[in-house]
Amino acid sequence: MPTSLLSQLKQMTTVVADTGDLDAIRRFRPEDATTNPSLILQAAQQEDRRERLARIARDSRDINAAVDRVAVDIGSEISALVPGYVSTEVSARLSFDSDATVARAHSLIERYQQAGVGAERILIKIAATWEGIQAATRLEREGIHTNLTLLFGFTQARACADAGTTLISPFVGRILDWHKAQDPQADFSGHHDPGVISVKGIYNYFKAHNYPTIVMGASFRNSDEIKSLAGCDRLTISPKLLDELENEHGTLTRQLDGAPATAEKAAEAPLDQSTFRWQMNEDAMAGEKLGEGIRKFMADQRQLEALLEKLSRQR
């Protein structure tokens, strides 16, 4: 019987579930799992969680503590189902505050340890702003692993690699969304997909310059994007697309081989703050999508906060 594309993908790429749905994680058996405020909100709205969430909300000292406790509660359940990392996000509200991000990361790690999940299993997920990257530098020096998310441009990727982050999550689908809005008639299929092109460029640069930072493609709009990145270090994939790959058969061709490449030029010097901000300003897509992503995650967090506030008043 021919093997599914998902089975073949798992032979060349570490497959990560982009969900808080425990049933989906059990079904697809990924190595790691990622969450974000949107996915935590979806998981929190499941009826079978309501009573436990209400108890968390009533017992927490404030709404920030309640949100973190919910994220760790769901993340702890996920950690029992995957052998590798679980990514848990620091509040998007802290995206421009390095000190507060570091403090919240410490709190999340402490909560996980209290739940019996070691720090080595957790990736603290942080928006790839300048302040977020500086926070990641400090956390990595302390032995706390980080996942820099909402990453849309090469400038962000370079800064993350220089910071020594454990992993980056360059977004594919949201890059495609931006380019489609700019040029609706263009052909962005297959290898013309600008999100795919971006991740391939980052991946090849990292391998050529021996950066140990893991490249994990994220935010896919269709399975063709995933096929075009087969062989990437990691790919975090929604249950819907995991299902498509599981039910599709044929031959999946490796697109990224991971072999050390010969760099076309020497690695550039680490970016300082002013250069980072200027380059982000020059990259309209990356700058716009970063700001939009932070706003969207914060909107979903506010919905979660409102849900927890409501549940806290129920008896």
Side-chain angles (χ1 to χ4, degrees):
M1 180 178 177
T3 58
S4 71
L5 294 194
L6 180 58
S7 295
Q8 293 175 64
L9 181 64
K10 286 181 176 181
Q11 298 303 309
M12 57 186 84
T13 289
T14 298
V15 171
V16 180
D18 194 17
T19 183
D21 184 336
L22 301 182
D23 289 336
I25 293 170
R26 290 188 187 97
R27 176 184 170 190
F28 295 111
R29 293 177 294 162
E31 183 73 17
D32 303 343
T34 60
T35 63
N36 61 43
S38 304
L39 297 175
I40 293 295
L41 175 63
Q42 291 174 19
Q45 290 173 325
Q46 297 172 358
E47 282 299 324
D48 59 355
R49 291 186 182 276
R50 288 302 180 95
E51 186 174 339
R52 189 164 68 199
L53 292 187
R55 187 164 57 251
I56 289 173
R58 289 194 294 268
D59 294 346
S60 299
R61 67 179 183 276
D62 56 40
I63 195 61
N64 289 326
V67 168
D68 283 357
R69 286 184 63 187
V70 168
V72 170
D73 187 65
I74 293 171
S76 297
E77 287 189 79
I78 293 172
S79 74
L81 301 177
V82 300
Y85 290 124
V86 175
S87 289
T88 298
E89 193 144 349
V90 168
S91 170
R93 191 179 275 120
L94 306 179
S95 296
F96 304 101
D97 189 330
S98 294
D99 291 341
T101 294
V102 169
R104 189 66 64 85
H106 288 159
S107 176
L108 287 168
I109 291 295
E110 183 178 350
R111 291 184 190 281
Y112 269 114
Q113 290 175 329
Q114 290 169 353
V117 182
E120 73 280 358
R121 296 286 314 283
I122 305 303
L123 290 176
I124 296 296
K125 211 170 172 190
I126 303 168
T129 59
W130 174 260
E131 293 80 4
I133 295 167
Q134 303 318 298
T137 301
R138 292 162 57 183
L139 292 168
E140 292 284 353
R141 287 172 180 166
E142 296 173 10
I144 295 175
H145 302 302
T146 60
N147 170 356
L148 273 290
T149 188
L150 294 176
L151 194 150
F152 301 98
F154 185 69
T155 295
Q156 292 169 289
R158 269 190 58 208
C160 289
D162 291 330
T165 63
T166 297
L167 182 148
I168 61 170
S169 297
F171 280 33
V172 178
R174 296 195 197 187
I175 293 176
L176 175 62
D177 294 344
W178 190 90
H179 284 276
K180 277 187 170 181
Q182 302 302 308
D183 190 356
Q185 304 305 315
D187 176 15
F188 294 128
S189 61
H191 295 286
H192 300 293
D193 187 311
V196 169
I197 293 168
S198 176
V199 175
K200 282 186 173 181
I202 291 167
Y203 177 91
N204 288 331
Y205 183 86
F206 279 25
K207 300 311 175 190
H209 295 290
N210 297 312
Y211 285 115
T213 296
I214 296 164
V215 179
M216 182 173 73
S219 171
F220 295 106
R221 293 294 178 260
N222 55 70
S223 60
D224 284 342
E225 292 178 324
I226 297 167
K227 297 170 196 174
S228 296
L229 291 172
C232 192
D233 296 333
R234 279 168 165 77
L235 298 174
T236 182
I237 306 170
S238 70
K240 176 180 178 293
L241 294 177
L242 287 171
D243 186 68
E244 285 187 25
L245 292 167
E246 187 175 64
N247 287 291
E248 185 174 348
H249 297 80
T251 300
L252 181 65
T253 303
R254 181 186 287 271
Q255 303 296 325
L256 298 169
D257 61 18
T262 301
E264 294 182 4
K265 60 180 180 178
E268 298 180 53
L271 297 166
D272 58 23
Q273 180 176 177
S274 61
T275 305
F276 176 89
R277 294 194 186 283
W278 176 252
Q279 290 185 5
M280 288 295 290
N281 180 72
E282 290 289 277
D283 186 342
M285 179 276 295
E288 290 173 19
K289 297 307 287 185
L290 174 60
E292 177 187 81
I294 291 170
R295 290 190 294 274
K296 284 185 174 180
F297 278 170
M298 197 58 232
D300 284 336
Q301 183 175 320
R302 289 191 181 100
Q303 288 189 55
L304 177 59
E305 291 170 354
L307 174 61
L308 292 173
E309 291 277 14
K310 180 180 177 181
L311 291 173
S312 71
R313 295 191 293 270
Q314 294 179 1
R315 297 292 175 181

